[in-house]
Amino acid sequence: MKIFTRRDFGITLGKGIAASTLLGGTSLACGQNTKALDKKLGIALVGLGSYSTYQLAPSLQDTEHCYLAGIVTGTREKEKIWQEKYGIPEENTYNYENFDNIANNETIDIVYVVLPNSMHADFSIRAAKAGKHVICEKPMAINVAECEAIIDACDKAGVKLSVGYRMQSDPYTKEVKKYVTEKTFGDVHFVSSDAGYISNGNPDQWRLNKELSGGGALMNMGVYSIQTSIYGCGSNPSSVSAQEFSTRPDYFKDTDETITAQFEFPNGAVGHMMTSHNANGNRLKSHCSKGWFELDPAHSYGPISGRTSNGNVISFPHQTQQALQMDDFAKHILMGTPNVAPGEMGKRDMIIVEAIYKSIAQGGKKQLLNLGNMGIVS
Ligand code: NAD
């Protein structure tokens, strides 16, 4: 009889086989869903920069279904600091070179890649090959081919894959998705979305280096505008036309500064998005046949804020988005609940990113998109 390890368990679920059939009689048997939820999945963060330090690691202190089990860092000094702060054992501490040995570590179930964008594909694929479930930060990669390679590696390894789209777990996002599907304000006719900030930092930062970032504002913040446009309208766009604006070429030498784009949607709705590293923007507004709804701020760590044309304020108690996001993924692995930010969603957004860059290169020419329902999660 095969003895099922923690890793087999995750992979087996990843292949969609009922865990209760395979694991009956073991301590991980989840004939009842509650049993599976008793288990907390171990997450290893890869890259201990600002997002891991100030958002993900603190959020992992609040998660119910996963916990911070390991770290992967290229900076030796960070190892001791993190080990002491979060009680991480030496054997769960890796660097970029010995990272692949994580395959032998059964206390790590999920690898969360939080590196500069151009490193996402390499580490996500290595994590999948090590038999670990993968969370890959946004943007999923720097081009569509890399997104496909990540999805393929996870499929082949039978592991689950999610993109670090924290907004997909946010209650405000879920509420506006509900307005769209239930047509609370009628049909959406126009959606407008902005996501940007004014970058004044170190000109040598990786976000301004195309080789490491894959692009500027569009890669970094534009994926939020794309996401918001889609859930603010309820479907993928059927075309996009885009323009780029540069006012500080001395600072933005290598990457895009401000981009605007217009979408057409299959149901006749149209949309406009703006993303920038030189203008603040953090908003979604959907104008519908019988009113409107708005989130402003729409993409920040929260609290998010929203209003509707019937005078209501959209309001939920503040919850940490990153904790909700990582718990959603853990529940997806443990319980088979929906993956709210699957790899297909990250790939779809990268198809749109590439179409936007192509439109700009062709002087704003409309690019047709044939996305169907790719990446749409209700
Ligand atoms: P950061 O610059 O603060 O950290 C990057 C980490 O990567 C550092 O630990 C650095 O040492 C390491 N690194 C390894 N090789 C590197 C190299 N060649 N150049 C630069 N750094 C290198 O960046 P961050 O803000 O933590 O962003 C990391 C990832 O997380 C990015 O993909 C970003 O888009 C994403 N992110 C997502 C959110 C979100 O809300 N989902 C927020 C912030 C960042």
Side-chain angles (χ1 to χ4, degrees):
M1 189 184 102
K2 179 162 169 49
I3 305 295
F4 280 88
T5 63
R6 286 159 69 100
R7 189 142 59 86
D8 289 328
F9 176 72
I11 290 172
T12 303
L13 280 181
K15 287 178 175 157
I17 300 166
S20 53
T21 313
L22 289 162
L23 297 172
T26 75
S27 61
L28 291 176
C30 62
Q32 328 83 323
N33 289 343
T34 46
K35 263 275 194 279
L37 280 179
D38 286 346
K39 179 179 154 62
K40 275 195 164 196
L41 300 179
I43 294 194
L45 295 176
V46 187
L48 307 180
S50 144
Y51 195 55
S52 285
T53 304
Y54 300 111
Q55 306 301 329
L56 296 177
S59 303
L60 279 162
Q61 310 314 300
D62 295 332
T63 39
E64 282 179 51
H65 307 296
C66 49
Y67 71 103
L68 180 57
I71 49 173
V72 184
T73 176
T75 313
R76 194 135 181 82
E77 306 81 70
K78 289 184 187 170
E79 292 181 0
K80 266 246 139 354
I81 297 169
W82 278 68
Q83 285 174 353
E84 279 169 17
K85 184 161 184 187
Y86 293 110
I88 293 164
E90 179 63 30
E91 63 270 22
N92 286 11
T93 304
Y94 297 87
N95 56 44
Y96 301 141
E97 288 71 43
N98 68 18
F99 167 67
D100 307 277
N101 296 340
I102 210 163
N104 305 317
N105 190 330
E106 296 201 345
T107 65
I108 311 284
D109 302 283
I110 299 169
V111 165
Y112 195 154
V113 180
V114 203
L115 291 163
N117 308 339
S118 66
M119 299 170 79
H120 290 184
D122 180 26
F123 278 83
S124 296
I125 291 167
R126 285 165 70 184
K129 284 185 176 161
K132 305 302 176 186
H133 302 291
V134 179
I135 308 178
C136 175
E137 251 318 317
K138 49 64 46 181
M140 184 171 166
I142 59 169
N143 55 48
V144 175
E146 284 191 355
C147 295
E148 284 170 348
I150 298 172
I151 292 169
D152 195 45
C154 290
D155 283 349
K156 281 204 176 96
V159 297
K160 303 280 196 182
L161 167 66
S162 174
V163 182
Y165 284 140
R166 58 189 161 75
M167 298 315 305
Q168 293 290 342
S169 296
D170 182 90
Y172 288 80
T173 303
K174 290 181 181 165
E175 182 72 3
V176 299
K177 277 178 150 183
K178 201 167 70 149
Y179 295 158
V180 173
T181 50
E182 293 181 0
K183 297 188 187 289
T184 313
F185 299 94
D187 294 317
V188 178
H189 288 189
F190 174 66
V191 59
S192 161
S193 171
D194 311 326
Y197 65 87
I198 300 174
S199 173
N200 278 320
N202 171 10
D204 296 325
Q205 61 183 288
W206 66 261
R207 281 188 172 82
L208 304 180
N209 174 337
K210 193 169 180 195
E211 207 178 313
L212 287 167
S213 61
L218 183 60
M219 282 281 174
N220 186 26
M221 301 304 289
V223 289
Y224 289 108
S225 301
I226 290 170
Q227 285 255 308
T228 326
S229 301
I230 291 171
Y231 58 69
C233 185
S235 69
N236 289 328
S238 50
S239 80
V240 64
S241 316
Q243 308 77 34
E244 180 179 356
F245 303 89
S246 171
T247 62
R248 291 164 61 200
D250 290 351
Y251 182 73
F252 299 107
K253 289 191 179 74
D254 201 24
T255 56
D256 42 282
E257 177 187 316
T258 298
I259 285 177
T260 53
Q262 300 76 44
F263 296 116
E264 288 175 301
F265 294 91
N267 65 354
V270 291
H272 174 80
M273 65 158 262
M274 185 285 294
T275 187
S276 182
H277 273 167
N278 195 43
N280 294 318
N282 191 349
R283 192 179 64 98
L284 157 71
K285 187 158 187 178
S286 293
H287 295 268
C288 315
S289 51
K290 295 186 207 152
W292 53 264
F293 57 86
E294 173 182 59
L295 296 178
D296 184 355
H299 316 108
S300 37
Y301 299 147
I304 300 299
S305 171
R307 287 149 294 278
T308 70
S309 52
N310 59 16
N312 286 347
V313 170
I314 308 171
S315 177
F316 293 96
H318 181 58
Q319 288 172 280
T320 311
Q321 292 160 353
Q322 291 81 2
L324 294 173
Q325 171 213 327
M326 290 185 278
D327 269 342
D328 271 348
F329 188 52
K331 281 189 278 183
H332 170 59
I333 294 164
L334 290 166
M335 309 280 297
T337 54
N339 186 351
V340 298
E344 286 293 310
M345 187 185 273
K347 174 183 157 183
R348 178 221 38 212
D349 295 347
M350 197 51 55
I351 291 172
I352 297 171
V353 162
E354 286 191 355
I356 288 174
Y357 282 134
K358 192 167 173 193
S359 173
I360 291 165
Q362 295 180 356
K365 188 172 172 212
K366 186 196 286 190
Q367 307 293 315
L368 296 181
L369 297 161
N370 187 14
L371 298 167
N373 281 330
M374 184 188 292
I376 298 280
V377 178
S378 51

